[in-house]
Amino acid sequence: MYVEVVLPLPLRHGFYYRCPPALCNRIQSGQRVLVPFQNRKLTGFVVETRLELPPEFSPTSALKEIILILDEETLISPGLFKLSKWISDYYFAPLGEVLKAALPPTLHKGQSKYSPIKTQLTVSLQSDCQQVLQKKKLTAKQLSVVQLLEKAAQPVLLSDFLVRSGVSAATLRSLEKKGIVRISNERVIRDPLGSCVGDAPVSRLEPTVEQRVALGELIRLLEQRSYTPVLLHGVTGSGKTEIYLNLIETLLAQQQDSLVLMPEIGLTPRVAREFRARLGRTVAILHSALGAGERYDEWWRIRRGEAKVVIGTRSAIFAPLPNLRLIVVDEEHDDSYKQQESPRYNARDLALVRGRMAGALVILGSATPAIESFYHARNGKYQYLRLASRVQDRPMPKIRLIDMRTEFASTGRSVVSSELETAIRERLARKEQILILLNRRGYSACMLCRSCGQNIQCRNCSIPLAYHKSRNRLLCHYCGYQQKIPNKCPSCNSEYLYFLGEGTEKIEALLTEKFPGVRLSRLDRDTAQRKNARSQILSNFQRHEVDILVGTQMISKGHDFPNVTLVGILSADNSLAFPDFRSAERTFHLLTQMSGRAGRGDLPGEVLIQTFFPEHYCLKYVLQHDYEGFYEKEARFRRFMHYPPFSGLAVVQSRDKSLDVAAQAINHAAKLLRSVVSDETRILGPTLAPLARIKSEHRFQIIIKSENRNHLNTILKGYLAEAERLGIDMRKVHIDVDPVTLM
Ligand code: ADP
Ligand code: ZN
Ligand code: ZN
């Protein structure tokens, strides 16, 4: 018997092994096996078992044998295996890499054994300790241990107990000797939401009329038990979460599973908590910020059917739920659903693929749907449901543009306009809260030389270095390279260097100076670095221990702060000026989502947007809360320029430390692509990528556009086949199907 095995390596094909007779009746596709590979032992996945080798395959040497089957149960169910193959095929990602991405990290490291649940030392009272306690010859310390343990319902983690009680291990050991305390190895499930277990269950909300209508329709679709894609287009604050919760409860009553994808759970811990508080332990959480142990345990709870609801970020699309009936993609427009390294899948799109395979209802939810999604809803490919107003008739926030050209002419200011300053002052006086968005971290965007006009660039990337004052360093936001602040220009030796372009760090300093005594906090990648720092900053703001929160787009995501009545957006221009075909769309999302943070409670909200370019159509539509208007305008541009959704898009990029090698690789790719191209497809380039050098690698790219996605796939397949035939080293070449940026 022969077995095809894929390895977690950037190789696009599998390898054949012989299966030793003793293993033949146990081996199945989807299992992990240990195999010899180039003098190493690697963990691979069984793709297929067969009695004879395929006729076109002629081994050059004797086939090696599988060493070991690592899993008695298959880790990857047939359904997920099928999905993985689809991904491998569509995104041109090696199947081994896809399968690796489908499992929690500890499971693909190739341990030969695994334990579904870790055992850890725990401490509890002996069940018959009362008799011993009757005599009670205990010290005060020992007594306090007994009292603490009496309160605990179940064994407590030893390490936790020592930290929290402050008693020594010796005290515990002495109690163990007396037969009062039991220390043992117990199965402990690490729980990412541990701290909120036992929170009071939240009360259910009486649905609004709009919610009720949408819910009625969704339940009807759910009961059809067949694949149905739906775009749920609900303005910010329209109560989409409540609808998801109701649907999940309906399914739980039927013992059926639901999957909810979110862009970044670390940023919106509130929502995960809400789900847990309402639905209990049946909710599992999966995202990359969890510790490896937590992820592992959550994965097994899902796999064993103990958790029937999964909330997770993009990789949770692989959650091993057996009876999937509902997939929700919340904030479906968000770019973070797209993985930027191989396998370069988009979890939003995969939700539809998995939903089709499972016959599930798939809800794409957003206040600002992706242009692609709205297009499909328009064309009837998706059902369309609209929530046009906020719950409890709360008004949409009033949005105003501040023309910074006039501001600059009259006051010379270019950072915080006098209008915004006045508005902040008013809110502070009324004890209301304020969010200030600037989508750029650091103190200054770059350091410029007045003599020669050069800016100081990263050593490894073609990017200017940003100035971070608190660290007193120049820092690259792409590769992390940092250096001291130079006192002379590296190009011309001039001393006339100056900083340009404000970042969040500078705004924080500026506002502290303008509003002495105000409680101010900042949320960006710098302040959020420590574990739990983000949720700390957010919950301080939630509890109104902070008046003004300054931050990058991190503060724009799904937060619900009822006391925020003012949102200030310092510059709409940064993101509009970004040289990418999606920059207007991204700006529309960002500004609308950010505006949506204002006026979510009883008090009405106001939004002030500063710009040097108030005529831009994107701003006009944001101002009028006019998504459809924006869509029409943007769709015209996309159709004209042959961009998605009117055209399929792929990028082939070459990367190498040597400019020559990268150039050669892309020229070769261009030649091969042109040899297989068809009439409906256009090949643009090769050109230097807009980010021409990142992490010391030069980047060239080719853009492929095709009216027909099947053609696109066929051409890329033809290209790869040709490259393989010619024995071309493909490690320098990266293929991105449906890219979210062309940078
Ligand atoms: P969205 O995700 O659509 O922006 P949320 O789901 O965050 O909106 O809901 C906004 C707020 O409205 C939340 O504080 C939520 O608790 C509240 N809410 C939702 N539905 C109702 C309802 N039927 N009655 C009262 N409040 C509601
Ligand atoms: Zn200079
Ligand atoms: Zn760099």
Side-chain angles (χ1 to χ4, degrees):
M1 189 150 132
Y2 301 96
V3 182
E4 187 185 357
V5 174
V6 289
L7 300 169
L9 299 172
L11 296 167
R12 285 170 211 277
H13 54 85
F15 294 87
Y16 285 102
Y17 288 88
R18 274 191 307 118
C19 184
L23 301 182
C24 282
N25 57 352
R26 287 198 288 130
I27 200 146
Q28 304 173 39
S29 36
Q31 262 170 344
R32 293 179 316 152
V33 287
L34 197 66
V35 293
F37 184 78
Q38 296 178 348
N39 303 325
R40 286 186 288 166
K41 288 177 187 171
L42 287 182
T43 303
F45 291 89
V46 176
V47 182
E48 205 184 10
T49 57
R50 51 199 305 161
L51 293 173
E52 279 168 40
L53 288 170
E56 73 277 8
F57 181 76
S58 50
T60 44
S61 56
L63 288 185
K64 293 181 180 154
E65 278 196 347
I66 281 174
I67 302 170
L68 201 66
I69 296 178
L70 295 176
D71 312 310
E72 286 313 319
E73 319 169 61
T74 54
L75 292 180
I76 303 267
S77 68
L80 284 174
F81 202 71
K82 197 169 148 203
L83 180 71
S84 302
K85 275 194 172 151
W86 190 95
I87 295 169
S88 167
D89 210 50
Y90 184 84
Y91 292 103
F92 298 95
L95 183 58
E97 279 186 4
V98 179
L99 292 169
K100 180 174 155 182
L103 291 174
T106 35
L107 275 180
H108 61 69
K109 280 221 187 95
Q111 303 108 321
S112 56
K113 286 208 175 75
Y114 62 88
S115 62
I117 296 292
K118 264 250 162 358
T119 61
Q120 294 193 22
L121 283 180
T122 61
V123 49
S124 56
L125 285 180
Q126 287 280 13
S127 50
D128 54 356
C129 68
Q130 285 310 326
Q131 299 162 2
V132 191
L133 282 175
Q134 305 277 306
K135 303 175 196 160
K136 267 203 187 156
K137 284 174 271 174
L138 296 185
T139 64
K141 263 233 177 78
Q142 290 170 331
L143 207 59
S144 75
V145 170
V146 172
Q147 280 162 356
L148 280 172
L149 287 176
E150 269 171 348
K151 284 190 209 138
Q154 55 187 25
V156 183
L157 264 188
L158 181 65
S159 50
D160 268 7
F161 188 79
L162 292 177
V163 172
R164 272 188 285 162
S165 66
V167 299
S168 65
T171 310
L172 281 185
R173 292 285 173 202
S174 70
L175 284 168
E176 188 187 19
K177 274 210 196 91
K178 286 184 199 291
I180 296 173
V181 153
R182 200 173 106 90
I183 297 176
S184 65
N185 243 333
E186 297 268 338
R187 287 176 22 155
V188 177
I189 296 177
R190 287 151 288 197
D191 183 353
L193 287 179
S195 53
C196 72
V197 178
D199 282 0
V202 283
S203 55
R204 319 169 126 276
L205 300 164
E206 188 57 39
T208 62
V209 175
E210 268 195 337
Q211 280 172 326
R212 205 191 328 263
V213 171
L215 198 54
E217 181 59 14
L218 289 168
I219 288 189
R220 191 182 68 78
L221 294 172
L222 203 57
E223 292 314 326
Q224 288 181 354
R225 292 171 171 266
S226 59
Y227 167 58
T228 321
V230 178
L231 176 62
L232 178 62
H233 183 186
V235 297
T236 54
S238 55
K240 294 185 283 293
T241 317
E242 187 61 27
I243 293 180
Y244 307 149
L245 279 164
N246 271 293
L247 291 172
I248 294 169
E249 281 172 330
T250 306
L251 284 178
L252 277 176
Q254 304 171 24
Q255 294 289 311
Q256 306 274 296
D257 305 338
S258 314
L259 170 61
V260 180
L261 299 182
M262 290 182 179
E264 253 196 280
I265 290 176
L267 282 179
T268 47
R270 156 186 88 94
V271 187
R273 295 245 155 94
E274 239 170 77
F275 275 78
R276 171 59 75 75
R278 176 100 153 242
L279 307 171
R281 282 286 288 164
T282 195
V283 176
I285 308 287
L286 283 182
H287 63 92
S288 55
L290 295 182
E294 288 171 328
R295 256 167 107 176
Y296 185 81
D297 287 356
E298 289 293 82
W299 193 88
W300 276 103
R301 285 209 308 128
I302 302 162
R303 178 59 212 272
R304 286 193 312 264
E306 290 166 27
K308 305 191 95 36
V309 181
V310 174
I311 320 275
T313 46
R314 63 168 179 262
S315 63
I317 189 63
F318 296 106
L321 291 163
N323 306 308
L324 194 54
R325 289 270 305 281
L326 171 69
I327 308 178
V328 172
V329 185
D330 195 26
E331 313 289 358
E332 59 87 28
H333 62 275
D334 200 288
D335 280 351
S336 70
Y337 284 121
K338 173 80 177 179
Q339 173 139 304
Q340 297 291 2
E341 64 210 50
S342 184
R344 293 182 167 77
Y345 63 86
N346 187 319
R348 188 255 329 269
D349 300 338
L350 290 187
L352 298 159
V353 177
R354 188 167 179 192
R356 195 175 58 219
M357 290 176 176
L361 175 64
V362 181
I363 304 178
L364 308 182
S366 178
T368 52
I371 298 288
E372 280 93 334
S373 303
F374 197 73
Y375 170 78
H376 292 314
R378 273 274 168 97
N379 292 338
K381 194 170 159 193
Y382 305 162
Q383 309 253 3
Y384 181 73
L385 292 174
R386 181 99 170 99
L387 301 172
S389 45
R390 289 185 155 179
V391 297
Q392 299 182 325
D393 295 323
R394 285 174 193 148
M396 294 304 288
K398 276 209 181 54
I399 308 180
R400 270 193 299 142
L401 293 184
I402 299 177
D403 187 340
M404 294 304 279
R405 292 170 305 192
T406 1
E407 175 75 22
F408 189 71
S410 61
T411 65
R413 289 188 196 209
S414 63
V415 192
V416 177
S417 60
S418 45
E419 215 171 329
L420 179 57
E421 189 179 325
T422 311
I424 294 175
R425 216 171 279 290
E426 276 171 26
R427 297 319 187 298
L428 288 174
R430 297 207 296 255
K431 304 243 176 312
E432 294 164 12
Q433 284 174 291
I434 299 143
L435 285 168
I436 302 287
L437 172 80
L438 179 62
N439 211 1
R440 186 196 280 148
R441 67 193 171 101
Y443 196 84
S444 301
C446 63
M447 203 172 182
L448 211 71
C449 170
R450 273 186 215 280
S451 304
C452 72
Q454 301 276 335
N455 59 31
I456 297 185
Q457 300 239 330
C458 174
R459 206 168 61 176
N460 313 317
C461 312
S462 49
I463 307 277
L465 293 170
Y467 171 46
H468 286 245
K469 193 174 182 184
S470 59
R471 296 192 227 180
N472 197 26
R473 284 279 187 286
L474 297 182
L475 191 76
C476 174
H477 289 177
Y478 280 80
C479 73
Y481 167 77
Q482 42 178 299
Q483 67 172 58
K484 289 206 182 103
I485 317 291
N487 41 27
K488 282 193 180 127
C489 169
S491 313
C492 75
N493 260 336
S494 147
E495 291 173 12
Y496 298 101
L497 294 171
Y498 69 113
F499 295 107
L500 194 73
E502 299 76 17
T504 44
E505 204 183 330
K506 179 155 182 185
I507 299 306
E508 184 187 25
L510 209 125
L511 292 176
T512 310
E513 199 183 291
K514 271 194 199 304
F515 304 102
V518 72
R519 296 170 303 173
L520 207 127
S521 172
R522 170 163 64 94
L523 182 64
D524 55 27
R525 285 247 296 280
D526 295 315
T527 63
Q529 245 171 15
R530 275 174 300 110
K531 198 184 174 191
N532 298 330
R534 321 174 153 192
S535 50
Q536 197 72 55
I537 294 171
L538 290 169
S539 59
N540 287 348
F541 190 67
Q542 188 93 49
R543 285 196 300 268
H544 203 157
E545 286 161 15
V546 165
D547 303 304
I548 305 180
L549 181 61
V550 178
T552 54
Q553 42 84 26
M554 282 186 176
I555 63 170
S556 71
K557 314 254 168 168
H559 307 297
D560 195 36
F561 305 119
N563 200 40
V564 168
T565 57
L566 177 67
V567 164
I569 297 171
L570 294 188
S571 168
D573 307 340
N574 296 350
S575 78
L576 272 180
F578 209 66
D580 191 73
F581 77 97
R582 285 186 209 269
S583 63
E585 180 183 6
R586 260 189 216 116
T587 308
F588 186 86
H589 293 160
L590 177 65
L591 299 184
T592 306
Q593 294 289 342
M594 193 61 219
S595 304
R597 302 312 114 207
R600 293 171 75 90
D602 297 332
L603 301 167
E606 187 182 29
V607 181
L608 298 182
I609 303 177
Q610 303 189 154
T611 175
F612 280 95
F613 193 18
E615 297 85 7
H616 197 289
Y617 66 90
C618 172
L619 301 181
K620 191 179 102 192
Y621 293 116
V622 168
L623 216 62
Q624 293 162 354
H625 303 281
D626 183 4
Y627 176 84
E628 279 84 353
F630 175 74
Y631 170 82
E632 294 296 345
K633 180 93 184 175
E634 188 65 17
R636 234 171 293 147
F637 159 73
R638 299 271 182 102
R639 183 178 281 124
F640 182 67
M641 295 295 290
H642 300 280
Y643 279 124
F646 303 97
S647 185
L649 194 64
V651 183
V652 174
Q653 201 170 68
S654 71
R655 296 182 191 169
D656 197 80
K657 291 211 155 82
S658 145
L659 185 76
D660 288 343
V661 171
Q664 211 170 37
I666 205 73
N667 285 330
H668 222 114
K671 213 165 100 195
L672 289 186
L673 278 164
R674 293 212 155 92
S675 75
V676 294
V677 76
S678 64
D679 284 349
E680 295 88 345
T681 303
R682 303 200 297 165
I683 301 208
L684 310 172
T687 56
L688 264 179
L691 299 172
R693 192 164 157 259
I694 295 291
K695 296 185 184 167
S696 302
E697 289 188 321
H698 297 274
R699 297 142 66 109
F700 290 92
Q701 67 188 27
I702 297 166
I703 295 171
I704 311 172
K705 292 180 180 178
S706 178
E707 308 289 302
N708 184 322
R709 295 179 155 275
N710 292 334
H711 282 294
L712 195 70
N713 190 275
T714 309
I715 281 162
L716 284 167
K717 259 208 189 92
Y719 156 58
L720 285 174
E722 196 55 15
E724 183 162 335
R725 195 180 62 81
L726 296 172
I728 291 172
D729 179 1
M730 291 301 282
R731 279 174 303 183
K732 320 245 172 257
V733 180
H734 303 259
I735 297 175
D736 191 352
V737 177
D738 302 336
V740 291
T741 91
L742 295 178
M743 300 299 283

